[in-house]
Amino acid sequence: MSAVVVACCQIALRVAEVEANRACAVAAIEDAAARGARVVVLPELVNSGYVFADRDEAAALAEPLDGPTVTAWAALARAHGLVVVGGVCERADGGTLRNTAVLVDRDGLRAAYRKAHLWDREVLAFAPGAEPPPVVATAAGRIGLVVCYDLEFPEWVRLPALAGAELLCAPVNWPRAARPPEGERPGEVVRVQAAASSNRMWIAACDRVRAERGVSWLGASVIVDPDGFPAAGPASEDDEELLLATCDLALARDKAIGERNDVLADRRPELYGSVAAHG
């Protein structure tokens, strides 16, 4: 079946409160499963929180991918027949810290993607990833992974589309900037809508809420269809919320936009070399 219920669990996290953060995520996953979700998306850096005092604090909060956070998500995925995507502060080989998104399903850990485009002070704690976004064939469909700031690079989002992603899951921590003009959506949401439309794939971007060490989060989690329109959300900018959308992932396999045009087939990469080469 190509129609699946996708959930974004917009939750409140606290930096350095690892046990509370894990419990919050587990409760959100269980709630989503009880309400029919088969793909559950969580925010970025769920286990640790985001606003670290320094790299040493990030290192103290990090854990390996076989640690308690991912292990708990895998157990829930197995018990409920879910695909779970979420962000973790990872302690990788040699003690390297990574801002990582994982995908787990009933078979356990299927993919780990290390964020390639680091935002602001993240560069003081994390090493950037160097591998393209993975696309995983799951029981729910073909699912790709990116993290937050990666969404602002059209070339990067195009890669999972070219690899056959039907749904792109993006754990995010969107810091709140100036509020948009009345009646306008936040720029982060607009960019997700544009990426979904230009690649004709579903995108689920899951944010967090509430302030942390002086940083406020945007909220506004959203699930967007291949035409670029929200199927659920944007969520509240202040409150925890569970977004649910029934997504026909088969729609993302059709890249046509009319009788004569196709968003992938119409590309002319021989003309775009300078875009990638320019630096």
Side-chain angles (χ1 to χ4, degrees):
M1 294 179 62
S2 61
V4 297
V5 178
V6 177
C8 281
C9 301
Q10 181 170 287
I11 54 180
L13 303 169
R14 298 286 187 272
V15 68
E17 297 185 15
V18 175
E19 293 297 334
N21 291 341
R22 288 188 192 125
C24 182
V26 165
I29 294 168
E30 291 177 333
D31 184 26
R35 294 172 62 178
R38 287 298 168 261
V39 178
V40 179
V41 189
L42 299 163
E44 180 181 6
L45 295 174
V46 169
N47 59 326
S48 59
Y50 186 93
V51 186
F52 309 117
D54 49 34
R55 187 188 184 282
D56 288 343
E57 183 178 43
L61 299 171
E63 61 186 83
L65 295 183
D66 60 357
T69 298
V70 178
T71 298
W73 296 353
L76 289 167
R78 186 165 50 253
H80 297 290
L82 303 174
V83 176
V84 178
V85 174
V88 295
C89 182
E90 179 196 359
R91 185 186 307 110
D93 293 344
T96 300
L97 301 185
R98 303 283 192 178
N99 185 336
T100 299
V102 300
L103 184 152
V104 298
D105 64 10
R106 65 186 68 190
D107 295 323
L109 178 64
R110 298 288 309 282
Y113 164 74
R114 281 81 183 194
K115 185 176 183 180
H117 302 92
L118 299 180
W119 172 259
D120 197 31
R121 285 174 51 86
E122 290 177 28
V123 300
L124 304 179
F126 297 113
E131 297 296 326
V135 176
V136 183
T138 74
R142 293 181 59 81
I143 298 177
L145 306 178
V146 294
V147 178
C148 202
Y149 189 38
D150 289 324
L151 287 167
E152 301 197 23
F153 295 84
E155 308 95 322
W156 203 244
V157 177
R158 179 73 85 183
L159 292 177
L162 290 170
E166 298 161 350
L167 168 65
L168 183 66
C169 294
V172 306
N173 277 187
W174 285 331
R176 180 179 292 175
R179 288 187 178 272
E182 187 67 29
E184 294 290 340
R185 291 184 172 134
E188 291 84 352
V189 174
V190 173
R191 284 189 286 273
V192 170
Q193 292 182 248
S197 176
S198 62
N199 291 288
R200 286 206 51 80
M201 65 181 172
W202 296 86
I203 300 181
C206 186
D207 199 8
R208 55 172 295 182
V209 288
R210 300 185 189 160
E212 182 182 82
R213 292 179 175 170
V215 176
S216 294
W217 307 103
L218 178 63
S221 299
V222 67
I223 303 170
V224 179
D225 72 19
D227 290 319
F229 299 115
S236 165
E237 294 190 14
D238 300 297
D239 300 319
E240 293 183 295
E241 190 170 338
L242 176 64
L243 291 186
L244 295 165
T246 300
C247 304
D248 185 355
L249 299 190
L251 296 176
R253 301 171 202 158
D254 181 4
K255 304 300 183 182
I257 47 173
E259 293 183 10
R260 299 177 181 85
N261 294 102
D262 181 296
V263 296
L264 296 188
D266 289 347
R267 294 181 313 118
R268 298 186 62 192
E270 71 278 7
L271 303 181
Y272 312 149
S274 62
V275 174
H278 185 75

